[in-house]
Amino acid sequence: MIISKEVFGKTADGISVDLYTLTNANGVKTRITNYGGIVVSLEVADREGKIDDVVLGYNSLAEYIKDSPYFGAVVGRCGNRIAKGRFTLDGVEYKLAVNNGENHLHGGLKGFDKVVWEAEEVETPEGVGLKLSYLSKDGEEGYPGNLRCVVTYTLTNDNELKINYEAETDKATPINLTHHSYFNLAGEGNGDILGHELMLNADSYTPVDEGLIPTGEIKSVKDSPIDFTEPAAIGSRISQVEGGYDHNYVLNRDNEDLLSLAARVYEQGSGRVMEVYTTEPGVQFYSGNFLDGSLAGKSGEAYGKHYGFCLETQHFPDSPNKANFPSVILNPGEKYSHITVYKFATR
Ligand code: BGC
């Protein structure tokens, strides 16, 4: 197990940013930067032992700063959309930064994906890690309260990328942190993900309106192209889903506090399997619908439509405005704590 550090570049306001390389006992390697907590690369073996980088991204910090659809980033203070960037908490209406049509998306104009985190290298019996800390000040992007966040990535010797999210606040605030890697188990830049076989452990989802805001309904996936309770190729019914998959699934869970299986993805060519476990009640399955070939990634290949998919574990979108969804409110004195694991194997 090793962890090493190099300079990745500087932000526009001159803050130096680093790139950390974490290697586990089996040679699985990930590079993570403290700019946005971005997972820049994740190298895992296929069934023959051949290594590929299975996440989309860039080679340089400048490219991430210039234009990135949240490649590999920590997303916060609230992932996904909040309708019209407004919500009322304890009788006070808050107005958030609006950055997606009339809505608030992924934390606003300068979300947690665009800030520099303090980094500390950690070694635990289970693997090597990087502990990232960030203080989001009262009023940032319109949110109430000083929110202290700690996100720890651990690369375990069981070939898992484990993410621990922790936070505390001094005023009640919504919080919904997630991770935005775009995966391609055949290797980044290596075509689309439509042939990947996906299983989602979810019997229902939260339908949305034209602006991708949940209607509030929790609907069964049964007899619809949204259903992935049985493994199916991502592309097998995608033409029946307007715009492609960009849905929040309501996960089947036995125990609310423990990690449970959210998803399993298999790519036949490489034999790679990725399983996702989480303590969260939902997962956004996004099939890279807005990738359009205008961005070229690490290997120089343009990332076309569906060249990567995201599985963003989360509370449901627009929760601050939906009383029937599990609450995203963190109060002073409480501890926010969630875990998500992306586990790699081959078949
Ligand atoms: C959302 C998409 C959004 C994308 C941004 C996903 O998490 O669900 O609607 O366009 O992030 O890259």
Side-chain angles (χ1 to χ4, degrees):
M1 300 189 300
I2 342 169
I3 179 159
S4 64
K5 169 180 163 180
E6 65 198 270
V7 172
F8 197 34
K10 273 199 173 117
T11 64
D13 29 11
I15 306 171
S16 180
V17 168
D18 294 315
L19 183 64
Y20 295 81
T21 303
L22 283 61
T23 310
N24 79 359
N26 314 315
V28 174
K29 199 190 268 190
T30 183
R31 291 184 302 152
I32 302 173
T33 171
N34 60 322
Y35 176 80
I38 294 170
V39 173
V40 171
S41 64
L42 179 56
E43 294 177 22
V44 291
D46 71 2
R47 65 161 85 80
E48 314 295 345
K50 179 177 165 275
I51 306 291
D52 280 301
D53 181 356
V54 296
V55 293
L56 275 54
Y58 296 125
N59 291 316
S60 71
L61 177 66
E63 289 166 289
Y64 281 105
I65 293 175
K66 188 170 165 244
D67 189 8
S68 169
Y70 305 90
F71 284 146
V74 173
V75 171
R77 192 177 289 200
C78 281
N80 212 281
R81 291 174 181 79
I82 295 178
K84 300 193 167 71
R86 286 174 192 223
F87 65 92
T88 301
L89 182 56
D90 298 332
V92 180
E93 183 179 84
Y94 291 94
K95 291 187 182 139
L96 303 175
V98 163
N99 60 326
N100 187 250
E102 56 175 14
N103 301 320
H104 174 87
L105 174 69
H106 291 337
L109 294 164
K110 191 176 179 186
F112 291 3
D113 60 297
K114 295 180 186 67
V115 301
V116 178
W117 296 64
E118 242 169 73
E120 192 190 322
E121 300 168 25
V122 286
E123 266 190 55
T124 64
E126 61 175 349
V128 281
L130 189 68
K131 182 173 170 182
L132 300 171
S133 310
Y134 176 65
L135 169 65
S136 169
K137 297 231 174 89
D138 189 7
E140 192 177 284
E141 300 298 306
Y143 285 104
N146 292 295
L147 183 75
R148 287 193 176 279
C149 298
V150 178
V151 174
T152 307
Y153 285 105
T154 307
L155 183 63
T156 75
N157 292 324
D158 287 332
N159 300 342
E160 300 161 326
L161 181 66
K162 182 173 183 178
I163 314 176
N164 285 65
Y165 301 93
E166 294 165 286
E168 287 184 88
T169 184
D170 60 5
K171 255 190 217 169
T173 178
I175 173 172
N176 192 8
L177 304 180
T178 188
H179 176 72
H180 213 291
S181 273
Y182 289 70
F183 297 96
N184 185 327
L185 299 184
E188 64 82 31
N190 211 349
D192 66 48
I193 48 75
L194 297 177
H196 286 46
E197 197 181 85
L198 171 69
M199 185 285 296
L200 287 170
N201 186 18
D203 292 337
S204 49
Y205 74 110
T206 52
V208 290
D209 66 17
E210 322 72 65
L212 298 179
I213 299 295
T215 59
E217 188 191 355
I218 293 186
K219 192 174 176 179
S220 168
V221 296
K222 219 171 170 357
D223 302 321
S224 83
I226 306 290
D227 188 356
F228 282 96
T229 49
E230 294 296 327
I234 292 174
S236 59
R237 295 156 297 162
I238 198 167
S239 62
Q240 300 168 44
V241 182
E242 214 192 310
Y245 295 100
D246 194 356
H247 296 77
N248 172 67
Y249 284 78
V250 178
L251 294 169
N252 303 332
R253 294 188 300 164
D254 304 330
N255 184 310
E256 301 219 334
D257 300 318
L258 298 180
L259 281 173
S260 50
L261 180 70
R264 184 179 293 117
V265 191
Y266 171 60
E267 199 279 312
Q268 211 175 8
S270 63
R272 290 191 185 91
V273 180
M274 181 176 82
E275 286 181 334
V276 184
Y277 296 85
T278 188
T279 55
E280 289 280 9
V283 67
Q284 186 81 14
F285 167 46
Y286 171 56
S287 55
N289 313 324
F290 298 114
L291 296 174
D292 61 4
S294 60
L295 305 173
K298 287 171 276 192
S299 51
E301 285 303 313
Y303 292 143
K305 195 170 182 179
H306 309 311
Y307 264 45
F309 67 90
C310 303
L311 287 168
E312 303 154 65
T313 57
Q314 60 183 8
H315 272 54
F316 311 163
D318 201 31
S319 286
N321 295 308
K322 298 285 187 301
N324 61 321
F325 287 178
S327 172
V328 290
I329 305 302
L330 180 71
N331 293 297
E334 293 174 352
K335 279 194 164 53
Y336 174 87
S337 169
H338 276 289
I339 306 178
T340 293
V341 174
Y342 296 93
K343 184 180 170 83
F344 295 88
T346 56
R347 206 190 273 167

